Amino acid sequence: MKSIRRRAIGALVLAAAGATTLAACGGGSGSGDSSATGSGKSKTVTLVSHDSFAASAPVLKEFTKETGYTVKVLRGGDAGAAVNQAILTKDHPQGDVFFGVDNTLLSRALDNGLFTSYTAKDLGTVPAALQLDAAQHRVTPIDSGDVCVNYDRAYFTAHKLTPPATFADLVKPEYKNLLVTENAATSSPGLAFLLGSAAATGDANWQAYWKQLKNNGVEVVDGWEQAYNDRFSGSAAGKKAKGDRPLVVSYASSPPAEVVGVTPPPAQSPVGVSTGTCFRQIEFAGLLHGAKNTAGGKALIDFMLSKTFQQDMPLQMYVDPVRTDATEPPVFVKYGAKVADPETMAPDKIAAKRDEWVKAWSSIVLK
């Protein structure tokens, strides 16, 4: 099956970016000079992103066909590392567009002046609730996803135990030593789960809640790959690794990832989602301030919001499109969990509380 690619924060670790050309046009990769039109040389627009960016080759070729631009991707490690690297190089940006900053890290990018305002074509197809920088349009929403507790259906059936449904359920004694989550200081889903628990329990109560989780045997690992593929008993990789935790912090889109390529298709995914434990993430793209190829960057952002790209994303990055008229693949619709009322948090509150909460969380859970 295709693995789910996810983003860890690594807030203090800066990864060197490696370049990969994903689509080509004409005789070369181009120089990034948008004036090359008609010269016989291909043009390049450079996308800076995290390691999890993915798009199918036919879709990127379609962008090249429509615009004449070749897409080159500079992958900069985990999401937080990529954001930090962009901040460090903001006076001499490594590319034209940055993709992958989400609502948990958005304030850091905006406060450091990474982006130039641009109102993307078709932005009207995106719900207002996802446009977190609507006043200035420094970033454009591209995808969303819900961080949720996933459960191993086979385990709960065998033990005749009802899976947890809410944050409150996770501290009950019947779920002792069953949950594994990611470090909120080093992992994007780990931070999202912390923010979700704070939103659900309240500013005054979240620390007490995490003390209860710790007493109930929550296991903390560095990142999503280790949690889902090594420790979670419900994933194909976890089974091979002899993982023994039937609850894991992952995504509402994990279930379809477990059945893609499985023949015959099962009636349901082996992985379920506790939809009362979810926190919504939104990922954005922005035109980097000082970009050399602003025309190409704007064209790329427009394309990432097009139906062609949006409908390609679900089975490439296991995320939901933001366009209201985008159609998701049947396997994604059938097996994915739709979360009607996820926890959310205003970006200004995340900006004000994030570092303080991560520090307090570390002192409670990791000591």
Side-chain angles (χ1 to χ4, degrees):
M1 57 161 279
K2 194 170 187 176
S3 64
I4 308 172
R5 298 174 293 271
R6 290 300 178 191
R7 281 77 74 188
I9 284 183
L12 299 180
V13 181
L14 300 179
T20 305
T21 300
L22 294 184
C25 172
S29 63
S31 64
D33 183 356
S34 62
S35 66
T37 302
S39 67
K41 297 180 180 179
S42 63
K43 301 175 296 178
T44 299
V45 56
T46 301
L47 177 69
V48 182
S49 188
H50 47 59
D51 286 344
S52 299
F53 174 81
S56 66
V59 164
L60 289 173
K61 287 179 180 178
E62 180 63 26
F63 170 71
T64 302
K65 181 180 178 180
E66 290 180 5
T67 67
Y69 292 110
T70 296
V71 180
K72 183 169 74 172
V73 178
L74 297 179
R75 291 181 172 86
D78 298 334
V83 171
N84 284 345
Q85 182 72 6
I87 291 171
L88 287 177
T89 59
K90 66 179 182 179
D91 293 332
H92 303 282
Q94 296 178 307
D96 306 303
V97 174
F98 186 95
F99 166 72
V101 60
D102 67 31
N103 50 312
T104 69
L105 295 169
L106 183 59
S107 64
R108 184 178 298 165
L110 297 182
D111 290 347
N112 279 278
L114 283 189
F115 304 115
T116 297
S117 295
Y118 174 61
T119 303
K121 180 182 177 182
D122 290 347
L123 189 61
T125 65
V126 180
L130 301 182
Q131 298 185 38
L132 301 187
D133 190 44
Q136 299 187 56
H137 299 296
R138 291 166 292 181
V139 290
T140 301
I142 300 298
D143 68 71
S144 68
D146 295 311
V147 173
C148 314
V149 170
N150 291 186
Y151 59 87
D152 178 355
R153 291 186 189 275
Y155 175 92
F156 285 93
T157 298
H159 289 78
K160 298 180 180 179
L161 182 62
T162 301
T166 65
F167 283 100
D169 287 344
L170 295 172
V171 300
K172 294 178 178 178
E174 56 262 43
Y175 306 116
K176 187 175 180 66
N177 298 326
L178 301 188
L179 175 65
V180 58
T181 188
E182 301 85 359
N183 190 326
T186 59
S187 162
S188 178
L191 175 58
F193 187 60
L194 167 59
L195 296 176
S197 69
T201 61
D203 294 5
N205 300 315
W206 75 265
Q207 293 190 44
Y209 173 77
W210 274 93
K211 290 176 182 177
Q212 290 179 288
L213 270 184
K214 182 179 181 180
N215 291 336
N216 211 37
V218 64
E219 179 182 3
V220 177
V221 297
D222 286 341
W224 180 88
E225 290 283 350
Q226 184 180 2
Y228 193 86
N229 289 329
D230 292 344
R231 301 297 298 124
F232 179 45
S233 63
S235 69
K239 289 182 178 68
K240 292 179 182 178
K242 302 187 184 303
D244 60 3
R245 293 269 166 159
L247 297 174
V248 63
V249 173
S250 188
Y251 289 81
S253 55
S254 299
E258 292 294 334
V259 302
V260 169
V262 175
T263 304
Q268 63 180 2
S269 173
V271 173
V273 176
S274 300
T275 56
T277 65
C278 301
F279 180 85
R280 180 146 297 170
Q281 286 184 315
I282 308 163
E283 280 194 304
F284 301 87
L287 184 67
L288 284 165
H289 183 72
K292 293 180 179 179
N293 187 353
T294 57
K298 291 175 181 179
L300 181 57
I301 291 173
D302 287 344
F303 186 74
M304 294 177 77
L305 206 53
S306 71
K307 286 183 73 173
T308 299
F309 188 90
Q310 290 277 301
Q311 293 178 168
D312 185 56
M313 288 192 309
L315 294 184
Q316 295 298 320
M317 294 188 280
Y318 288 90
V319 290
D320 291 305
V322 294
R323 281 186 71 119
T324 55
D325 59 351
T327 302
E328 296 179 340
V331 67
F332 203 79
V333 175
K334 179 177 179 179
Y335 296 103
K338 293 302 179 184
V339 182
D341 190 27
E343 299 293 343
T344 59
M345 189 174 291
D348 57 349
K349 184 170 183 178
I350 294 175
K353 297 289 188 179
R354 180 182 54 229
D355 294 344
E356 171 191 335
W357 283 353
V358 168
K359 183 177 180 180
W361 177 91
S362 297
S363 68
I364 292 168
V365 182
L366 300 182
K367 66 180 180 181

